[in-house]
Amino acid sequence: MLTEESLRSKINETIPEVYNVIAMDTSSGCGQSFEVVVVSDTFIGKNKLARSRLVNKALHDEINQIHAFSCKCYTQEEWSKIVV
Amino acid sequence: MPLINIVDQDQFSRLTTTEANGKIVVLYFYATWAEPCKAINDVVKALSDEPTNHNVQFLSIDADEHSEIAELFNVSAVPFFVIIQNETVLKELSGADPKEFVSALNECKTAALGAGSSSTSAALNDEARVSDDEDEDEEEETEEELLERLTKLTQAAPVMLFMKGSPSEPKCGFSRQIVGILREHQVRFGFFDILKDDSVRQGLKKFSDWPTFPQLYINGEFQGGLDIIKESLEEDSEFFQNALQS
C-alpha cells in the first residue's frame, strides 16, 4: 500500500532539485487517493501540462496503483509567494 | 429513426430528455417560407430513413411556430441543425449544405459509438481482443485503428471531455467537478464515457500521455485534467474562450 512517506521519497529520488514536497493521503489512510505538492526549480519555464507530466512520469508506477491523484507543481519563486 | 415533426414544447422536452436514452438527437430547424429548406427537408427525411441512422432521433421544428425553442438554441437563420446527446449540444450547423451536415453527424456518431451503451461498443472491444491472439501484423493494425479512432474522438467536438460516466450521471468526483466547471462557464462540450470502452480508456492514457481521467481536449489538443483546468481558470477567467480561439 502506498503511503505519504513512500511518495515523498520517490519524488525526492526521481525529481531533480526538490526544494519541498508535501504528500497527503486524501483517502483517510487507505492509500487510494493522494494530493501532492512539489516545489522545484526544475519546473522553471515549463507550463502546467509539462510540469504535471514530469511528476506523472516520476510516479508512473505509483499512480497506476491508486484511484485518484492530483498534484500541484511550483517553482521556488512561485512557492515563496504562496507561503509568505 | 423516422422523422418527427415537433408540435409542442412538452413533446420536444420529452423527446430530448426522458425519452432520449443516450441516443443522438438531431434538431432540424426550418421555416415554411425559406426556399433552401424545401430541398433540405427531403434530405433530412431521407437521412432519417437510412438504416445507418436507425438509432438517431430526427426532430424537425418550425422555427416560426416554435420560436421559444428556436431561441433556446440561438437559431438565427434556417435551415439550422443542432446535434445533441444526453442533453449536451455536440454540434451546430447553419446552412444548407447536406454534405457538411452528414459529415458532422458522422463525427458525432463516431464519438457516440464508444459512449453509448449499445452493443456496437462491445463488438468493437471484442474485435480488438480477438486480433491480439493472432500474429503481429494483425496486432499492429488494431493499434493503428485504435490510434485513428482516438484521433477522431479527440476532434469530435471543439471541446471534448473524456470522463467516467456521463454529464448527467458522473461516476467519479473529479469527473463531476469538471462537468460542473464546463457548465458554469457555459461551454458546449462533447463527452465520452471511458468506463464503457476499455480500449479507449487504456489507449487514451498513452495517446494523451496522461494517466488519469477526466481528460479535456480543446480543438483536438490535450489540455489536462481537473487540476490544470482549475488552475488555468484561476489565472485566466476566459481560459475556455481563449483556448477555443487559438
Side-chain angles (χ1 to χ4, degrees):
Chain A
M1 193 191 81
L2 282 172
T3 61
E4 295 175 356
E5 213 185 291
S6 61
L7 275 185
R8 273 200 296 271
S9 7
K10 188 72 185 284
I11 292 173
N12 276 317
E13 282 165 35
T14 49
I15 298 185
E17 304 172 52
V18 173
Y19 173 73
N20 202 350
V21 57
I22 305 176
M24 286 183 302
D25 182 333
T26 50
S27 57
S28 311
C30 293
Q32 276 309 296
S33 102
F34 287 90
E35 264 182 49
V36 161
V37 176
V38 183
V39 185
S40 160
D41 277 345
T42 191
F43 292 136
I44 294 183
K46 296 197 171 71
N47 69 15
K48 288 192 233 303
L49 203 55
R51 296 182 188 191
S52 293
R53 284 206 165 122
L54 216 149
V55 177
N56 287 346
K57 271 203 177 50
L59 295 177
H60 181 261
D61 296 330
E62 285 76 8
I63 294 178
N64 276 341
Q65 292 173 46
I66 58 184
H67 172 80
F69 178 78
S70 100
C71 87
K72 294 205 184 333
C73 315
Y74 300 108
T75 61
Q76 279 192 39
E77 204 202 321
E78 293 166 354
W79 183 245
S80 63
K81 289 202 191 124
I82 304 177
V83 184
V84 166
Chain B
M1 293 183 66
L3 182 60
I4 298 182
N5 188 247
I6 295 292
V7 294
D8 62 48
Q9 271 210 296
D10 281 331
Q11 181 202 30
F12 176 75
S13 300
R14 256 192 306 114
L15 289 170
T16 51
T17 54
T18 50
E19 284 180 25
N21 280 331
K23 287 199 285 281
I24 295 184
V25 181
V26 171
L27 306 182
Y28 161 54
F29 289 90
Y30 66 92
T32 48
W33 45 260
E35 196 54 47
C37 288
K38 302 215 171 89
I40 293 289
N41 282 344
D42 293 333
V43 172
V44 175
K45 176 111 202 348
L47 282 172
S48 66
D49 287 332
E50 250 185 60
T52 50
N53 290 328
H54 72 276
N55 233 5
V56 178
Q57 175 82 277
F58 286 81
L59 305 178
S60 61
I61 303 159
D62 184 324
D64 293 322
E65 237 186 84
H66 304 288
S67 52
E68 343 71 36
I69 305 183
E71 263 175 54
L72 261 179
F73 292 91
N74 283 327
V75 177
S76 48
V78 286
F80 195 86
F81 295 97
V82 183
I83 303 179
I84 55 184
Q85 190 182 35
N86 288 325
E87 302 166 50
T88 307
V89 173
L90 296 182
K91 271 197 193 312
E92 279 179 349
L93 258 178
S94 174
D97 186 348
K99 268 198 284 212
E100 222 194 311
F101 171 65
V102 170
S103 94
L105 179 58
N106 285 335
E107 273 181 45
C108 296
K109 277 154 71 179
T110 318
L113 264 179
S117 50
S118 62
S119 52
T120 329
S121 58
L124 282 171
N125 271 341
D126 285 341
E127 261 176 56
R129 268 182 238 130
V130 165
S131 311
D132 277 344
D133 294 332
E134 281 149 357
D135 55 73
E136 272 196 8
D137 279 348
E138 298 267 19
E139 254 183 48
E140 273 180 46
E141 228 178 337
T142 313
E143 269 197 53
E144 258 179 46
E145 284 171 356
L146 178 62
L147 194 60
E148 224 190 288
R149 188 153 69 100
L150 291 176
T151 312
K152 282 207 193 111
L153 276 175
T154 53
Q155 296 174 1
V159 180
M160 264 309 278
L161 176 64
F162 294 86
M163 61 181 289
K164 295 185 175 178
S166 66
S168 39
E169 258 193 82
K171 297 260 165 65
C172 135
F174 290 175
S175 289
R176 177 179 288 114
Q177 278 187 59
I178 205 169
V179 168
I181 292 176
L182 289 168
R183 286 190 169 154
E184 200 187 304
H185 287 79
Q186 300 184 316
V187 177
R188 290 197 178 134
F189 64 98
F191 80 94
F192 188 98
D193 181 355
I194 52 108
L195 293 177
K196 296 232 157 88
D197 187 329
D198 207 55
S199 47
V200 171
R201 182 176 180 172
Q202 301 311 325
L204 205 57
K205 287 186 189 174
K206 279 198 225 136
F207 189 84
S208 320
D209 188 15
W210 193 260
T212 53
F213 289 98
Q215 291 187 11
L216 191 71
Y217 274 79
I218 298 187
N219 289 333
E221 218 183 284
F222 180 58
Q223 300 297 313
L226 177 65
D227 273 345
I228 295 192
I229 303 298
K230 280 208 269 193
E231 285 174 34
S232 305
L233 275 169
E234 271 166 39
E235 290 180 5
D236 174 12
S237 55
E238 303 286 311
F239 167 70
F240 291 118
Q241 289 78 352
N242 290 334
L244 276 167
Q245 275 164 24
S246 61

